[in-house]
């Protein structure tokens, strides 16, 4: 697992003394089977942690789905990506927990991982679409820029959909893991996502600067929107670094679920921050006239009573 690197002298062809302060280096052999087994166990524990975190977040923010089922909240097309992102990642975590269950299951590793990757990418794509919708609403007067957003979104979805085809899975130390995938393709997906998020962040800031500084919508997006873009960018950056290091198959994939979880939760909060607006936010042409409730853990929709009475 560990080995010592001995620096040879090229001139005298003799080894330096071992007590030399610069002659001993301790490096990790990331391809050691024992280390890979320990990392596989760590990946399993991390998956359960992500499952618990997202399950808690899903339950505490499920008021939108409940309101839609009870017809207390009118369905809008912008909510489709929100609901799809949450449902897709929940399905991902349930399948992952089933796959890692200590109880024996007769499920093909390649088939199960392909479904998990597809559902994870669907959650990421819908989450990024939530970010795009926010930028779309800010630039509602620029049709050319909206067209650019649509093209960028289609390119992102194309990369995500083709990703499961390039992945090959196998069982490593009893754990079903992604064993082979082209690093160039993985890097391309992550880099495109980062640049896409960065473009959305820049366009959001430019669009906000064009609004009045005292606009309530402006303040809401600055306080609650920009931070979500940054979180998503940092999560993808960590994933990219691990992929480029290529330490071993386990390390290449170990941060994939946490990054997807951060992306999904962040985009959910973006949508919820807009849904906390009063009912006239949908038809109001002047964002400065809209009042926003504070971003708290308890999610309330002040228009429920009026809808119920009707």
């Amino acid at each position: 697992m560990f080995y010592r690197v001995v620096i040879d002298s090229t001139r005298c062809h003799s080894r330096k003394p071992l007590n030399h302060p610069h002659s001993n280096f301790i490096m990790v052999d990331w391809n050691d089977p024992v280390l890979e087994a320990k990392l596989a166990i760590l990946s399993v524990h991390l998956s359960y942690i992500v499952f618990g975190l997202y399950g808690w977040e899903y339950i505490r923010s499920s008021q939108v789905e409940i309101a839609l089922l009870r017809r207390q909240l009118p369905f809008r097309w912008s909510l489709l990506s929100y609901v799809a992102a949450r449902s897709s990642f929940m399905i991902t975590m349930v399948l992952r927990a089933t796959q890692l269950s200590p109880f024996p299951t007769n499920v093909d590793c390649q088939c199960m991982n392909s479904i998990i990757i597809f559902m994870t990418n669907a959650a990421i794509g819908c989450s990024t679409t939530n970010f795009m919708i926010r930028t779309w609403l800010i630039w509602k007067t620029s049709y050319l820029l909206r067209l650019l957003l649509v093209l960028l979104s289609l390119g992102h979805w194309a990369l995500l959909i083709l990703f499961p085809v390039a992945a090959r899975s196998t069982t490593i130390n009893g754990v079903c893991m992604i064993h082979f995938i082209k690093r160039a393709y993985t890097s391309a997906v992550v880099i495109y996502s980062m640049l896409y998020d960065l473009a959305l962040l820049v366009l959001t800031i430019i669009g906000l600067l064009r609004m009045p500084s005292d606009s309530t919508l402006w303040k809401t997006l600055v306080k609650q929107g920009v931070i979500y873009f940054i979180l998503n960018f940092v999560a993808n950056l960590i994933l990219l670094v691990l992929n480029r290091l290529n330490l071993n198959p386990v390390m290449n994939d170990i941060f994939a679920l946490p990054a997807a979880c951060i992306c999904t939760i962040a985009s959910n909060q973006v949508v919820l921050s807009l849904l906390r607006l009063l009912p006239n936010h949908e038809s109001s042409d002047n964002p400065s006239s809209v009042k926003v409730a504070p971003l708290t853990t308890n999610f309330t929709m002040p228009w429920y009573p009026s809808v119920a009475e009707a």
Side-chain angles (χ1 to χ4, degrees), residues 23-256:
S23 61
N24 295 334
F25 298 92
I26 298 178
M27 300 181 66
V28 178
D29 182 9
W30 293 97
N31 294 319
D32 183 76
V34 177
L35 177 60
E36 287 191 2
K38 293 180 179 180
L39 290 175
I41 296 175
L42 177 61
S43 177
V44 172
H45 294 167
L46 186 60
S47 297
Y48 281 116
I49 293 175
V50 173
F51 188 17
L53 173 64
Y54 185 75
W56 171 76
E57 170 65 22
Y58 188 91
I59 293 174
R60 67 178 285 272
S61 59
S62 60
Q63 290 84 353
V64 174
E65 287 87 346
I66 295 175
L68 289 173
L69 291 175
R70 297 176 61 183
R71 296 184 180 179
Q72 294 175 320
L73 177 65
F75 182 79
R76 290 167 294 179
W77 68 271
S78 57
L79 292 176
L80 181 61
S81 60
Y82 169 79
V83 176
R86 287 167 54 84
S87 303
S88 298
F89 195 73
M90 178 56 70
I91 294 174
T92 297
M93 295 314 304
V94 171
L95 292 178
R96 183 62 175 167
T98 303
Q99 186 183 50
L100 301 177
S101 172
F103 303 101
T105 54
N106 297 324
V107 180
D108 181 71
C109 177
Q110 176 65 35
C111 180
M112 177 65 81
N113 259 3
S114 297
I115 297 175
I116 291 177
I117 293 174
F118 177 81
M119 297 306 297
T120 303
N121 288 351
I124 295 174
C126 292
S127 299
T128 310
T129 302
N130 290 333
F131 290 128
M132 189 270 288
I133 290 176
R134 167 169 287 211
T135 309
W136 174 285
L137 295 175
I138 293 175
W139 290 91
K140 60 182 180 180
T141 59
S142 177
Y143 296 100
L144 183 60
L145 198 139
R146 281 189 168 190
L147 177 61
L148 175 62
L149 292 175
V150 171
L151 294 178
L152 291 175
S153 181
L154 290 176
H156 189 226
W157 273 104
L159 290 175
L160 292 175
I161 292 174
L162 294 176
F163 190 88
V165 180
R168 295 293 178 267
S169 303
T170 187
T171 301
I172 301 177
N173 299 305
V175 180
C176 184
M177 305 288 295
I178 297 177
H179 180 66
F180 171 78
I181 191 169
K182 293 182 179 179
R183 293 174 54 204
Y185 185 78
T186 305
S187 299
V189 174
V190 177
I191 292 175
Y192 187 96
S193 300
M194 294 173 63
L195 295 178
Y196 184 28
D197 293 334
L198 181 60
L200 292 177
L201 174 61
V202 172
L203 292 175
T204 299
I205 295 177
I206 295 176
L208 292 175
L209 292 177
R210 298 169 64 247
M211 293 183 178
S213 59
D214 58 344
S215 170
T216 305
L217 179 60
W218 191 93
K219 295 178 181 179
T220 302
L221 295 178
V222 169
K223 292 180 180 179
Q224 302 174 358
V226 175
I227 185 64
Y228 301 135
F229 287 103
I230 297 177
L231 284 175
N232 196 24
F233 187 86
V234 172
N236 284 325
L237 180 61
I238 297 175
L239 187 61
L240 178 63
V241 170
L242 291 177
N243 177 73
R244 297 309 301 171
L245 289 176
N246 194 28
L247 301 175
N248 57 47
V250 181
M251 285 298 296
N252 292 347
D253 185 55
I254 196 170
F255 197 71

